[in-house]
Amino acid sequence: MSEQPFPPASPPLQLLAVANAWRAQVVMTHDDFLVAYKPPGMSFHREGSDPGMLDALREEGHQTLHAVHRLDRITSGLVLVARHGDAARELGQLFESRRISKCYLAISDRKPTKKQGLISGGMAPARNGSWRLTREPTLRAVTRFHSTALEGGKRMFALYPHTGRTHQLRVAMKSIGAPILGDERYGGSPADRGYLHAYALRLPWQGGELSLALPPAAGEFFLQPAFNEQLAVLNEAGLWGSSGT
């Protein structure tokens, strides 16, 4: 497993913004793909009569869309959506080969068993569609993380998944005794939303490299000054440092 698949020098982080924190929308258009924002509480695909994120984007006039990765319902943030088949295949290969680096942000109101490091183990199904971390090699999930204290007994976590298993980050946080705030499925305290956000992506494309970031815009604790101060520190320190994938 490669710790750092990119050269040390990386392009400046492009900070994107949303117009409405509770609506799915395109935040950047490329000839080959869309960079879209998924709000918390929205499914990625349609569930029964409830439209999903892709439905919302099609209503904006983006008809030819190819999903190459997805986010859980509770998770907000950046999603890449291919605009044609060739781009879908290439992006799919980049995700599969772990050449797309990802950074997620989370908040917990519990003290973790360790403040930074690696969370690794196998993923196994549990009850009612949940998952659990095991010591078995099957469906191995690896996440690197570091955290910092916020006000009121809360902590901010920067999470760098090396793999892309279902519920991987939510299970990882539970395994260190710090379930995500608002993620009641995995033991998190009740809150106005699940505090997990897909913050940044870095990917090679057409001989170059893109580094994209979209700060969280929904949730009272994501919007507090102390959180944004720590996020600024993370960016200034180098988002894709040794803790990144």
Side-chain angles (χ1 to χ4, degrees):
M1 177 174 60
S2 174
E3 284 289 321
Q4 179 55 272
F6 297 103
S10 61
L13 201 62
Q14 298 182 51
L15 289 173
L16 307 173
V18 298
N20 184 331
W22 298 98
R23 179 176 63 84
Q25 60 210 266
V26 173
V27 294
M28 176 180 168
T29 302
H30 188 279
D31 289 343
D32 299 318
F33 54 82
L34 302 175
V35 181
Y37 166 75
K38 190 189 87 65
M42 173 180 276
S43 294
F44 189 80
H45 296 287
R46 175 179 291 273
E47 293 187 355
S49 61
D50 295 330
M53 176 185 170
L54 292 181
D55 298 301
L57 297 183
R58 290 186 179 105
E59 288 179 1
E60 288 190 356
H62 305 286
Q63 295 302 316
T64 305
L65 300 177
H66 302 262
V68 293
H69 68 131
R70 62 181 294 278
L71 299 178
D72 292 345
R73 176 187 283 271
I74 74 162
T75 310
S76 59
L78 286 176
V79 179
L80 295 179
V81 185
R83 301 182 69 184
H84 54 81
D86 289 342
R89 284 187 289 275
E90 186 168 351
L91 287 170
Q93 291 170 358
L94 289 175
F95 275 109
E96 185 176 355
S97 61
R98 301 172 186 170
R99 295 189 63 210
I100 295 182
S101 298
K102 295 167 283 184
C103 176
Y104 288 73
L105 303 174
I107 294 177
S108 178
D109 61 353
R110 315 279 179 84
K111 184 178 180 179
T113 55
K114 55 183 179 179
K115 296 180 181 179
Q116 62 182 4
L118 199 68
I119 305 169
S120 177
M123 296 284 287
R127 295 181 179 180
N128 302 318
S130 297
W131 292 79
R132 59 187 177 87
L133 202 65
T134 75
R135 295 184 179 181
E136 303 299 323
T138 306
L139 296 179
R140 182 172 168 79
V142 180
T143 303
R144 190 173 295 278
F145 79 99
H146 64 82
S147 68
T148 187
L150 298 174
E151 298 173 347
K154 296 179 178 60
R155 292 192 74 85
M156 167 184 163
F157 292 77
L159 305 165
Y160 301 90
H162 286 275
T163 50
R165 306 299 183 192
T166 300
H167 292 189
Q168 174 176 326
L169 300 181
R170 299 163 69 181
V171 172
M173 290 285 286
K174 180 182 180 180
S175 76
I176 59 171
I180 295 166
L181 182 64
D183 187 7
E184 296 184 53
R185 173 185 285 271
Y186 288 102
S189 300
D192 60 326
R193 61 158 294 180
Y195 277 83
L196 181 61
H197 178 80
Y199 173 55
L201 292 168
R202 187 173 68 173
L203 67 151
W205 197 255
Q206 296 179 343
E209 187 177 310
L210 295 173
S211 287
L212 309 171
L214 182 65
E220 61 172 312
F221 298 111
F222 272 151
L223 300 179
Q224 289 184 348
F227 177 86
N228 286 288
E229 288 169 6
Q230 291 300 328
L231 182 55
V233 170
L234 176 69
N235 291 336
E236 290 172 7
L239 180 66
W240 307 112
S242 60
S243 292
T245 58

